[in-house]
Structure formats: structure tokens, C-alpha cells
Amino acid sequence: MFLAAAPYFQRRFDSDPALLRNFQSAILSVSTVGGLGSMIVLTKLQARANYPKRITMALGINAVVFTLLALSTKLFLDVSTRVYFAFLMVMVLSASLASGMCQNGVFAYVSSFRRDEYTQGIMAGQGVAGVLPCIAQIVSVLSVPKNKHAQGSPQVPNTSAFAYFLTATLVSTATLAAFSYLLSTKRVTHTLHHTTDDDAESASPHERKPIPLTTLLRKLIYLASAVALTFTITMFFPVFTQQILSTHNPATSPRLFQPATFIPLAFLFWNAGDLLGRTLPAVPALRLTAYPRLLLLLAVLRIGFIPLYWLCNIGGRGAAVESDFFYLVVVQLLFGVSNGFLGSSCMMGFGEWVEDDERAAAGGLMSLCLISGLTVGSFLTFFAT
């Protein structure tokens, strides 16, 4: 949601060149640091972890955060850019804490079912979560009359931004209702803690035996390294995407190729590729979970995508390859496919390399490695452009 809203934030920060240049990297860094911090703490609190409670709290926090963001598009519009930036960072941090809580809870929760396809379902759901905000942003911009800015920078009207952020609130609320219904079934309650106690989802879950992280790392070193490196490299794409413009003439091009819609369109291509990649491991011939070393090698090779962004129209300065097709399909779509495929393969495969009673803890560790990769990548993006 934060990444695809880049045109709106550009408008809010256009009077401060320093913030305009660095707000995206700041969002990434604050988000990933908050997520990593929460993941580290939650991973260490294995023994009496109540994973459904963590998921529920995370969804509630998300609903509050995006409600406040929606209101900020209508209220206190005369505050300084620095004040708004501080508010935005607080919202990003809150959402990242919720994200870390949800990541830890969901993967540990799902791993308890001992069904790899459930883990892939979660990965595919995250892919959908990347696609829908981009579509919502494009639709919200195109659904209102076009605004022109004196300086020609991308304009996203407050009405479309309000609808965009409110969409996240509605999705979080609907998901919370659906998850609450899921927890109300006796079968799910029984499965989570492997007990006949119908009250296993209560605030006092049964004590689990803590699994040392070093033990899990010895078994999962290749998969853990692959997922961390995959998402480290992935974090470069948002910074380039919010700066790359269409090669069409901005004065005569259709609205879809104007910055306010072209930037979310580019995010849509990347996230659509990511979603496609997350579904590929379901094909038996493409399932590489038995080859962790190969997955790590493929993660290393993804570094080759980063130089391709320099061939595109960064900041409107001109492109070495003057083709929106090259940018949207060859760079964005395929980069997204590689992320989805490797990320999903790693997160699906760890269960094959640990004991049954280690699955929940291993799910938390893999989520920690994923967030660690995002954190390292977010700091590297300050040097990307």
C-alpha cells in the first residue's frame, strides 16, 4: 500500500527536495527495521506463543493505521511537510510492527497443519496483496477528473488517496472477520496445538519446547540464506519504480502513461509477476524444494536484474532502451516472477528439512530471515540511485 501510493506522497513532499528524494527509502527502512525488530522478539517467544492472537492483533492495528492515513488526506492538510513526514513514519512503523506480528503468526500457524500447499497459499495471498493495491490506486486516480500541477509533477487527488487508503481498512476488517470465523471451528482449534483441549486458542496456550535457532539454522542454512538474499535484492525495485517514467511524451500520452498512473502500473506488473511466481512451485516439475543449494544459486543470479533498471527512463532523463514494454515486461514482470518463485519455494521447502515438532519454530525463523533480507535491502537502496 505504501509503495504504490508513491505519486500521492510525491505530491505531499514536493516542496521539500530532500524529503521528495528520500521518502521512499525512508519508508522502506523504517518499515523493515520495525518488522525485523518485532520478528526477532516474537521468534524468541516461542514457548507460549499464541499465534492466532498475534494475527488478530496485527489485523486490528492495520485497520487503525490505514483509517488514520485515509483521514489524513482530508484533515490537517496545511501542516508542514516535516510534520506530515513524521506522521507518515509513525504510520509506517506501526504497520511494520503489525506486519512482523502477522508474518510470524501466519507462517507458524500454517506450518502446524503439516501441509506445504497451505504455506504456498499464504505466499500466493501475499502476492494478491501486492496486486490489489496497485489496481486500487490506478482505478482511484482514473475515476476522478485529472489534476494538473504547475510544476508537472504527478498529481493524485485527495479523494482518490482517501479511497485508496480506506480500501486497506476494509480489507483488514474483512480479513479479521474471516479469520475469526476460521478460529471458531473446532477442527482448527484442535490442530494448532495438537491437543484434544477445545480451549487451545485461549490466552494461555500450552507450553512448547523451545527450539534453539542454531539447531534450525544448521538444517536450513541454504534455504534461509536464499530467502534472505532474494528479498535483499528485491528491495531495490520500489526505489527505481517510483522514479522511472514512461517513454511516451508526457504532454500527449494517455492518462495511463502519466506518472500518477504509470508508477502504480509498473508496481502492478512487478506484483503480477510476483503472484505468478508464487504459484509456479505448485507445478511438480518446477518444484525445487529438494534442491536448496540450487535455490541459493538462483537467488544470487537475481542480482543481474538491478543493472537493467539503469537502462530505463529514470527521472525522465531518457532511456537507453526506449521501450515501456522492455521496462514493464522484461524488467518488472520477470523480476517479480523470480521473487515470487524463489520466495515461495524457500518458504514451502523448509518443512521437508526439519522434524514435525520443529515446524512452527522453523516457520518463525524463515520469516525472520525474510524480514532480515528486506531490512538489509532497504538500507542499500539509499545508494541505488
Side-chain angles (χ1 to χ4, degrees):
M1 294 295 296
F2 286 107
L3 297 179
Y8 173 73
F9 295 136
Q10 287 175 351
R11 172 172 168 257
R12 293 297 298 258
F13 298 131
D14 63 359
S15 62
D16 191 319
L19 290 181
L20 182 62
R21 184 172 58 254
N22 294 309
F23 79 89
Q24 192 78 304
S25 292
I27 288 175
L28 294 175
S29 298
V30 171
S31 176
T32 53
V33 167
L36 177 61
S38 64
M39 285 292 297
I40 291 174
V41 173
L42 294 171
T43 300
K44 288 185 174 294
L45 300 176
Q46 302 174 27
R48 298 185 60 80
N50 189 323
Y51 295 117
K53 184 176 181 180
R54 292 178 180 182
I55 297 169
T56 300
M57 289 179 61
L59 292 170
I61 293 172
N62 264 343
V64 172
V65 165
F66 285 100
T67 297
L68 293 175
L69 281 166
L71 293 175
S72 73
T73 66
K74 298 293 186 180
L75 305 174
F76 308 110
L77 298 178
D78 56 345
V79 300
S80 69
T81 55
R82 299 283 170 152
V83 171
Y84 182 75
F85 179 77
F87 164 77
L88 180 61
M89 291 302 102
V90 171
M91 295 298 99
V92 170
L93 179 61
S94 300
S96 71
L97 294 176
S99 178
M101 194 181 301
C102 194
Q103 283 272 83
N104 176 270
V106 165
F107 283 111
Y109 179 81
V110 170
S111 65
S112 299
F113 288 87
R114 297 180 173 85
R115 299 287 295 271
D116 289 344
E117 62 268 31
Y118 290 0
T119 300
Q120 187 194 26
I122 296 299
M123 294 297 291
Q126 291 183 342
V128 172
V131 170
L132 293 183
C134 304
I135 296 175
Q137 175 75 330
I138 294 171
V139 170
S140 63
V141 172
L142 294 180
S143 64
V144 297
K146 181 179 179 181
N147 275 348
K148 291 189 177 292
H149 191 267
Q151 302 300 322
S153 64
Q155 279 296 286
V156 180
N158 289 352
T159 300
S160 63
F162 175 82
Y164 176 68
F165 290 128
L166 190 61
T167 299
T169 299
L170 297 176
V171 170
S172 296
T173 303
T175 305
L176 179 58
F179 187 65
S180 298
Y181 173 76
L182 178 66
L183 294 180
S184 68
T185 65
K186 183 176 180 180
R187 180 182 63 83
V188 173
T189 305
H190 166 77
T191 302
L192 178 62
H193 296 299
H194 317 297
T195 176
T196 57
D197 183 1
D198 290 344
D199 195 33
E201 297 294 351
S202 68
S204 299
H206 294 285
E207 189 82 18
R208 301 181 185 87
K209 180 182 177 181
I211 309 296
L213 294 185
T214 52
T215 300
L216 296 174
L217 277 174
R218 282 196 297 269
K219 298 180 178 182
L220 300 173
I221 185 62
Y222 292 108
L223 289 176
S225 299
V227 76
L229 182 58
T230 293
F231 285 93
T232 295
I233 296 170
T234 289
M235 290 307 282
F236 283 87
F237 101 88
V239 176
F240 283 110
T241 302
Q242 65 99 14
Q243 296 187 47
I244 293 177
L245 305 179
S246 170
T247 56
H248 287 74
N249 187 334
T252 59
S253 62
R255 288 190 69 185
L256 188 62
F257 295 98
Q258 297 293 328
T261 45
F262 185 76
I263 292 174
L265 179 65
F267 276 110
L268 177 60
F269 268 82
W270 192 95
N271 282 289
D274 179 54
L275 177 58
L276 174 62
R278 290 169 188 257
T279 65
L280 292 179
V283 180
L286 298 178
R287 189 180 174 109
L288 300 180
T289 54
Y291 308 99
R293 290 180 177 84
L294 177 58
L295 290 174
L296 179 57
L297 175 61
L298 293 175
V300 173
L301 294 177
R302 292 185 74 239
I303 296 175
F305 277 100
I306 297 177
L308 297 182
Y309 282 104
W310 290 96
L311 303 178
C312 303
N313 189 21
I314 298 178
R317 297 192 294 265
V321 180
E322 292 196 18
S323 169
D324 287 340
F325 178 85
F326 171 79
Y327 169 55
L328 295 175
V329 177
V330 177
V331 181
Q332 291 288 79
L333 185 70
L334 295 184
F335 195 25
V337 169
S338 67
N339 180 77
F341 176 74
L342 291 176
S344 187
S345 296
C346 292
M347 297 305 292
M348 285 177 61
F350 73 84
E352 301 176 13
W353 300 91
V354 297
E355 303 299 329
D356 284 349
D357 61 350
E358 296 174 336
R359 280 176 170 259
L365 172 65
M366 291 296 290
S367 298
L368 176 61
C369 292
L370 189 157
I371 296 292
S372 298
L374 295 176
T375 303
V376 173
S378 69
F379 282 103
L380 292 177
T381 60
F382 281 100
F383 309 101
T385 58

